[in-house]
Amino acid sequence: DDGDWYETGLHIFFGAYPNVQSLFGELGISDRLQWKEHSMIFAMPNKPGEFSRFDFPEVLPSPLNGIWAILKNNEMLTWPEKVKFAIGLLPAMIGGQPYVEAQDVFSVQEWMRKQGIPDRVTNEVFIAMSKALNFINPDELSMQCVLIALNRFLQEKHGSKMAFLDGNPPERLCMPIVDHIESLGGEVKLNSRIKNIELNNDGTVKSFVLSNGNVVEGDVYVFATPVDILKRLLPENWRGIPYFKRLDKLV
């Protein structure tokens, strides 16, 4: 009772999260998002205790504010590296969504090298970005994932602006969601651990069997769980499906 919260869920909210902001609006709790000044701040691995800033000026529209932020930062990237990085990104900015989707065949590292961008740019900027987006390294993460984020950051004036909740997520975000679901006649059941996923003959989900013996059946099933738990619960005849096979890389 006299302690603090320990919570590992979504801890930061970007301007480029329109669906999350719509959720806050629908729940009537938009004022619980505390927006910070528009800056991206990196710790400097080679200079412990020092930080490098990318400041996005409010007076400029996108993508000029992002370009200005990159050009003004001389601590992380040299001018030749910035130029090569900018030239490498041009196809993504011009090609739009079709180009972005086509880059799923390349890892971040492969794409950077293909575009002639020095490895130092990957090491200084995109290790941090890859870890932030998907918790894996640039040699494993799809470039499509990074380009989706970069496009939103560059095309929307406040896309990369960050907000934090004004308190712990269970009370300030999760409970309003529960209250909203229950006000519409829905149920939220806690402490209902899934034991296994029962399948139909065609490989689709038949039901969820809970550890207390209850069986949950529905029209639609959504499974949100840490990777290690999902790996243990995955039905045997799903493991060979290419979509699920990619889980092998997540440790």
Side-chain angles (χ1 to χ4, degrees):
D1 289 343
D2 59 350
D4 206 345
W5 284 83
Y6 185 87
E7 205 277 337
T8 57
L10 184 64
H11 58 280
I12 193 169
F13 301 85
F14 278 106
Y17 291 174
N19 296 330
V20 171
Q21 289 179 59
S22 294
L23 173 66
F24 273 81
E26 188 176 342
L27 297 170
I29 57 171
S30 296
D31 59 332
R32 296 184 184 183
L33 284 174
Q34 297 181 328
W35 292 97
K36 307 304 176 186
E37 61 185 77
H38 198 171
S39 297
M40 301 192 86
I41 303 169
F42 287 75
M44 302 284 282
N46 300 323
K47 299 178 181 178
E50 293 189 28
F51 299 90
S52 182
R53 297 175 63 100
F54 291 84
D55 294 313
F56 294 71
E58 283 293 322
V59 293
L60 293 178
S62 61
L64 295 179
N65 61 345
I67 294 169
W68 178 267
I70 294 168
L71 292 179
K72 285 286 287 181
N73 182 295
N74 295 311
E75 295 150 340
M76 290 185 74
L77 304 178
T78 64
W79 273 97
E81 287 168 343
K82 285 188 223 181
V83 171
K84 287 180 180 177
F85 181 38
I87 293 171
L89 274 180
L90 272 178
M93 296 178 72
I94 296 168
Q97 192 63 21
Y99 177 86
V100 169
E101 290 175 5
Q103 306 317 299
D104 195 29
V105 296
F106 300 106
S107 70
V108 175
Q109 189 176 69
E110 288 169 341
W111 187 89
M112 293 288 182
R113 288 174 177 171
K114 182 172 75 77
Q115 299 299 104
I117 299 170
D119 280 352
R120 209 183 77 85
V121 175
T122 305
N123 295 335
E124 288 292 317
V125 178
F126 286 94
I127 286 179
M129 193 166 186
S130 298
K131 293 280 191 184
L133 286 169
N134 260 49
F135 306 100
I136 53 178
N137 286 315
D139 60 334
E140 294 180 310
L141 180 64
S142 163
M143 189 61 192
Q144 183 193 45
C145 183
V146 169
L147 288 177
I148 288 170
L150 280 178
N151 265 4
R152 297 298 296 268
F153 289 173
L154 288 171
Q155 290 173 13
E156 300 174 21
K157 181 173 180 178
H158 295 119
S160 57
K161 195 170 185 179
M162 292 175 261
F164 295 89
L165 269 179
D166 63 354
N168 65 77
E171 281 185 353
R172 304 301 286 166
L173 175 56
C174 299
M175 279 313 299
I177 293 173
V178 171
D179 293 341
H180 186 67
I181 291 169
E182 291 179 342
S183 74
L184 297 172
E187 287 181 76
V188 177
K189 297 181 180 181
L190 303 180
N191 299 313
S192 304
R193 221 177 253 272
I194 292 179
K195 186 178 179 183
N196 61 286
I197 304 168
E198 295 288 313
L199 301 183
N200 295 307
N201 292 333
D202 63 356
T204 57
V205 179
K206 179 182 179 183
S207 62
F208 285 168
V209 180
L210 306 183
S211 57
N212 60 11
N214 291 341
V215 176
V216 177
E217 294 182 347
D219 299 316
V220 177
Y221 297 86
V222 178
F223 207 95
T225 179
V227 173
D228 55 333
I229 295 173
L230 176 58
K231 281 183 169 183
R232 290 202 295 271
L233 289 171
L234 211 60
E236 194 60 42
N237 55 341
W238 278 9
R239 296 178 188 274
I241 297 172
Y243 179 83
F244 293 113
K245 196 91 181 103
R246 290 185 289 180
L247 288 170
D248 293 345
K249 287 192 174 182
L250 288 169
V251 179

